[in-house]
């Protein structure tokens, strides 16, 4: 199958492109950089879905599109510009080119947590579901890799501000396998969510990550205000049913940062 991975140089897009190549797909990757992030056998296309450049060329002759686009922002308008308008461009170009399946990666709990980026993701889901190409939406919990992003964003001098959030994080590579299965399963509307094997408190994960890196930053738990904060603390981002990955955060950390960061011995 000829499959386009939009955002195929990203955290989940890269292992997805590799997984699809391994399964025998003819894989294209669309990103602004135009590379393949070292995915042997994938072909890189340069394009910008927000600006509308390079999209028609990337979807030409493709059977399935996997939408792993992302934008790092807390502003809803910026998130909408890339995720919603960009995805609509992909759908319109895909419909014109005869694409038969659009698979979107989304996030568990976005309908239960009133947060600007999540509102844009919800709109993106609606655009895909109501769009002109038969589709599948797969929601995942935060990736293990996202813990480092939260630690970086929350850094204020020696302190690391981390929101109180209960979730079951999952390895991006396991989400990539679920996405590849969704591609091969054909359009199904909403696929079963995927989450990680264990419920975790994000504050603990950041502490374990910093320790594994030898970083002496002091983690400061932050109670996010309002309904969003309550929903985050109350487990709105925990998966209910669906598919569960096998690799725990500790196992993932041991694989990526060595045994110093692994196991419950790393927890306080
Ligand atoms: N991170 C998580 O924990 C998590 C959990 C569940 C679901 N998700 C969802 O999974 C998706 C992927 O997340 P991720 O963390 O893998 O993202 P990421 O690492 O930030 O990668 C984003 C990808 O999108 C490409 N991109 C960004 N803007 C683009 C544009 N205008 N035109 C074309 N390509 C563009 C980037 O390449 P260039 O920069 O070269 O363009 C990159 O390949 C997102 O929709 C996110 O909401 C994420």
């Amino acid at each position: 199958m000829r499959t386009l991975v939009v955002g195929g140089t990203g955290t989940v897009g890269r292992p997805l492109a590799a997984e699809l190549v391994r399964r025998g797909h003819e894989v294209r990757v669309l990103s602004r950089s135009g590379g393949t992030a070292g995915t042997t056998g994938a072909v890189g296309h340069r394009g910008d879905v927000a600006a509308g450049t390079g999209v028609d060329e990337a979807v030409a002759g493709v059977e399935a599109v996997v939408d792993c686009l992302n934008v790092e922002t807390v502003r809803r308008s910026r998130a909408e510009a890339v995720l919603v308008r960009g995805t609509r461009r992909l759908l319109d170009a895909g419909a014109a080119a005869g694409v038969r399946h659009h698979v979107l990666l989304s996030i568990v709990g976005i309908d239960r947590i009133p947060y600007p980026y999540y509102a844009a993701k919800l709109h993106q889901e609606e655009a895909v579901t109501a769009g002109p190409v038969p589709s599948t939406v797969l929601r995942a919990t935060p990736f293990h890799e996202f813990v480092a992003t939260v630690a970086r964003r929350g850094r204020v001098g020696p302190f690391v501000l981390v929101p109180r959030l209960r979730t079951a994080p999952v390895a991006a590579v396991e989400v990539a396998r679920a996405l590849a299965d969704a591609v091969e399963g054909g359009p199904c509307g909403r696929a079963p969510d995927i989450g990680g094997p264990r419920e975790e408190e994000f504050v603990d994960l950041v502490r374990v990550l910093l320790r594994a890196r030898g970083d002496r930053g002091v983690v400061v738990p932050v109670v996010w205000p309002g309904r969003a904060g309550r929903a985050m603390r109350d487990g709105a981002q925990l998966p209910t049913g669906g598919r569960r990955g096998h690799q725990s955060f500790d196992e993932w950390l041991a694989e990526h940062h060595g045994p110093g960061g692994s196991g419950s011995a790393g927890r306080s």
Side-chain angles (χ1 to χ4, degrees):
M1 188 186 291
R2 193 175 291 157
T3 306
L4 174 68
V5 182
V6 183
T9 57
T11 309
V12 71
R14 191 174 359 161
L16 171 62
E19 176 68 14
L20 290 169
V21 167
R22 197 183 62 73
R23 294 185 187 199
H25 291 238
E26 201 179 306
V27 179
R28 289 183 191 167
V29 163
L30 176 65
S31 69
R32 288 166 303 176
S33 66
T36 61
T39 307
T40 315
V43 176
H45 283 252
R46 188 188 302 273
D48 184 335
V49 299
T53 55
V55 175
D56 292 343
E57 297 81 348
V59 297
V62 154
E63 288 160 79
V65 170
V66 194
D67 193 337
C68 297
L69 259 184
N70 199 21
V71 56
E72 202 175 308
T73 182
V74 290
R75 281 179 36 226
R76 179 166 171 182
S77 56
R78 174 83 187 120
E80 296 256 350
V82 178
L83 301 178
V84 183
R85 290 202 280 286
T87 287
R88 284 209 179 105
R89 277 202 181 93
L90 283 170
L91 290 162
D92 290 344
V99 169
R100 295 208 290 264
H101 190 189
H102 188 103
V103 179
L104 173 69
L105 179 58
S106 194
I107 308 175
V108 167
I110 54 174
D111 44 355
R112 299 192 290 263
I113 305 175
Y115 179 68
Y117 175 89
Y118 288 175
K121 286 295 292 183
L122 214 45
H123 267 164
Q124 187 190 31
E125 284 190 358
E126 286 160 10
V128 168
T129 306
V133 179
S135 63
T136 300
V137 174
L138 172 71
R139 288 183 177 178
T141 56
F143 308 151
H144 294 326
E145 289 81 351
F146 187 61
V147 177
T149 307
V150 171
R152 172 173 52 77
R153 282 188 197 158
R155 191 98 207 189
V156 184
F159 302 108
V160 183
L161 311 183
V162 182
R164 293 277 315 279
L165 165 68
R166 279 170 60 217
T167 185
V170 61
V173 70
E174 295 192 294
V175 176
R177 279 186 217 120
L179 282 168
D181 291 346
V183 170
E184 294 181 342
C188 77
R190 180 83 183 271
D193 296 350
I194 176 161
R198 273 174 34 181
E199 184 178 328
E200 306 271 12
E201 179 61 59
F202 231 81
V203 165
D204 296 336
L205 301 181
V206 174
R207 280 202 184 102
V208 173
L209 175 72
L210 296 187
R211 193 173 307 141
R213 288 173 165 179
D215 183 329
R216 298 162 71 96
V218 178
V219 172
V220 180
V222 174
V223 176
W224 201 272
R227 280 197 303 131
R230 199 170 319 118
M232 285 155 75
R233 294 193 296 282
D234 289 352
Q237 207 153 50
L238 286 167
T240 49
R243 175 169 168 169
R244 303 301 282 259
H246 298 287
Q247 192 176 41
S248 69
F249 182 76
D250 288 334
E251 289 162 352
W252 176 87
L253 196 60
E255 190 181 314
H256 290 82
H257 292 269
S262 72
S264 52
R267 312 276 184 137
S268 55

